Amino acid sequence: MKPKSKDSGKLRIGDDWNAIRIIALSQSNPLKAIAEFVENSIDAHAKTITITRGKEHGAHYLSIKDDGDGIPRDEAGLPDFKYVATHICDSIKRRLKADGNGSGLQGEFGIGLLSFWTVGDRLTMTSTGTDQKAYQMTMSKGDSRYEVSPKRILFVEKGTELKVAPLHTNSPSSAPSSAMPMQNCISPNRMRVPG
């Protein structure tokens, strides 16, 4: 049998989790991560975005809270956190732009959420369902798992809150030289970004 003179095919990822880790670790600037989070709020039609850096239970945190559309909902009317967590690099915004419906949208690669790894250890994202109850998704740096659960809160609000805690201190011995301490990136109070 004569050997093939040419062979071709399509590239594919062999190890999904390793690829996700590489993408997350390739983002090294915490300020760019914060910008990604704010752009997500803008893309969700938020009129007000509140950025808070604070301290809770002895640990610094960063919160980005908006009054936008919230996480898109699944068929049951619940925030579709499963889609968010299982479609890294598969941006719905890119598809909207390709269909001509994404005018003004900022994101397109589906990797912005992973940038929380440059900011802190754990991300908690909260949004409401059509049942007017709050739900949250939690992800941790370096862990391939995510968890979705109901969140007990006194008043349900429209929009999404993204909270990262504890923030990285980025001491010289534990961080790349280009990284800056997260505590110095934003003043310890609130900043409102009107829409």
Side-chain angles (χ1 to χ4, degrees), residues 30 88 143 151:
I88 305 292
D143 190 343
K151 181 176 182 180

Side-chain angles (χ1 to χ4, degrees), residues 100-120:
N101 299 319
S103 176
L105 293 178
Q106 301 299 313
E108 68 176 302
F109 301 113
I111 61 172
L113 194 61
L114 292 176
S115 63
F116 87 86
W117 286 27
T118 67
V119 179

Side-chain angles (χ1 to χ4, degrees), residues 163-179:
K163 189 172 186 179
V164 181
L167 300 180
H168 293 305
T169 56
N170 290 345
S171 64
S173 63
S174 65
S177 59
S178 64

Side-chain angles (χ1 to χ4, degrees), residues 67-138:
D67 62 354
D69 299 335
I71 301 298
R73 292 172 178 88
D74 62 17
E75 303 81 34
L78 303 178
D80 199 353
F81 289 123
K82 180 178 180 180
Y83 183 89
V84 171
T86 60
H87 284 77
I88 305 292
C89 294
D90 182 21
S91 173
I92 192 166
K93 295 175 193 176
R94 182 177 60 231
R95 281 187 264 139
L96 288 170
K97 288 177 182 179
D99 294 342
N101 299 319
S103 176
L105 293 178
Q106 301 299 313
E108 68 176 302
F109 301 113
I111 61 172
L113 194 61
L114 292 176
S115 63
F116 87 86
W117 286 27
T118 67
V119 179
D121 291 338
R122 187 179 57 258
L123 172 132
T124 303
M125 186 184 298
T126 305
S127 194
T128 57
T130 55
D131 60 1
Q132 297 304 304
K133 293 181 181 175
Y135 298 88
Q136 67 183 12
M137 175 179 70
T138 305

Side-chain angles (χ1 to χ4, degrees), residues 55-75:
K55 197 170 185 180
E56 189 174 74
H57 307 295
H60 290 278
Y61 71 87
L62 180 73
S63 168
I64 293 95
K65 190 173 188 175
D66 68 50
D67 62 354
D69 299 335
I71 301 298
R73 292 172 178 88
D74 62 17
E75 303 81 34

